[in-house]
Amino acid sequence: MLLDIIRFGHVIGIALGLGLAIYADGRFLRALSSPIREGALEDLRANHAHVFVAMGILWTTGLVLLYARTGFIPSEFAPKLFFKVGVVSLLTANAILIGRRVMPKLERYEGSSYLQMPVLVRLQISVIGAVSAACWLSLLALGVFQDFKRMEAGAIADVLQWFFILPLTGAVLLSLFGPLGFVLHRYWTRRRISLVQSQPLYVQHRMYVPRR
């Protein structure tokens, strides 16, 4: 019964961390072209502090479960356990980077938007954020997918690599081409508005009245 409670706490830690990561990434993506304000920075600081709480839960419950299963004897570790410890360790290091690298940069560029930052700053922020999301998703997969218990290390790595490749590719593309995409979107929006305004009033009215 006690181990079941600890497993439940472990799942809660993963769910809490993943939820916070999704919330932070979603808010970040919605505000790419918006100036960074103090309120948003305060929200990110609070979010980051809560992530450390989730990681504390993960480490505490994870070490207890690890001892119960293996007695900390390396020969008793299944490949899945090695990956879980590795991912949590990477996640911890990445969270420290967020506090030491990402937050100071966001504070430095307060009043500017992400798209106005230098490309190397955008790249660093995006990659660190993508690694965080990839780690949380990998932990969820390692905890949910039962097939990992029977897979060799190479097979697990073949699956988990995609949890990192896709977010990191998106992060690099966003940091390099995000400003261009925003300019093109704004251009087509203005063009569409100008085309509508150039039409007679009765045509404009028909264009905006929803069809039943």
Side-chain angles (χ1 to χ4, degrees):
M1 181 65 178
L2 178 60
L3 284 180
D4 288 335
I5 295 174
I6 294 173
R7 290 190 189 96
F8 181 76
H10 196 66
V11 173
I12 290 296
I14 295 175
L16 177 61
L18 179 60
L20 290 169
I22 292 175
Y23 169 78
D25 289 345
R27 180 165 182 172
F28 171 75
L29 291 173
R30 289 194 302 269
L32 290 177
S33 60
S34 302
I36 300 171
R37 303 299 184 193
E38 179 59 29
L41 290 175
E42 288 294 334
D43 186 65
L44 286 174
R45 293 188 192 102
N47 185 281
H48 190 55
H50 293 151
V51 167
F52 270 105
V53 172
M55 288 172 46
I57 296 173
L58 274 182
W59 276 112
T60 302
T61 56
L63 289 174
V64 172
L65 292 173
L66 194 61
Y67 179 76
R69 294 176 185 175
T70 68
F72 294 145
I73 301 174
S75 60
E76 298 293 326
F77 282 34
K80 174 185 171 180
L81 288 179
F82 279 110
F83 276 94
K84 289 190 74 172
V85 173
V87 170
V88 175
S89 299
L90 176 60
L91 186 61
T92 303
N94 193 72
I96 294 173
L97 276 179
I98 291 175
R100 294 186 177 181
R101 298 287 185 179
V102 174
M103 293 305 301
K105 282 181 170 52
L106 294 177
E107 292 168 358
R108 176 183 176 185
Y109 289 96
E110 182 179 354
S112 301
S113 70
Y114 167 83
L115 298 178
Q116 294 172 323
M117 297 178 185
V119 63
L120 292 180
V121 175
R122 294 199 305 268
L123 184 62
Q124 188 177 58
I125 292 174
S126 298
V127 167
I128 291 175
V131 170
S132 175
C135 286
W136 285 113
L137 289 172
S138 297
L139 283 178
L140 180 64
L142 287 167
V144 171
F145 299 149
Q146 296 298 314
D147 288 344
F148 283 134
K149 293 181 178 180
R150 300 181 292 272
M151 294 170 65
E152 297 295 331
I156 296 176
D158 289 340
V159 176
L160 291 185
Q161 66 177 342
W162 294 104
F163 286 87
F164 288 85
I165 290 175
L166 296 178
L168 287 172
T169 300
V172 172
L173 292 176
L174 177 64
S175 60
L176 296 178
F177 302 108
L180 176 60
F182 176 72
V183 169
L184 291 175
H185 173 73
R186 187 166 58 179
Y187 168 77
W188 286 112
T189 300
R190 290 178 177 177
R191 181 177 174 82
R192 184 175 59 184
I193 292 174
S194 64
L195 287 174
V196 171
Q197 292 176 342
S198 66
Q199 300 293 330
L201 289 178
Y202 75 92
V203 175
Q204 293 184 32
H205 177 72
R206 291 179 58 186
M207 293 177 69
Y208 281 107
V209 173
R211 295 181 179 179
R212 296 182 179 178

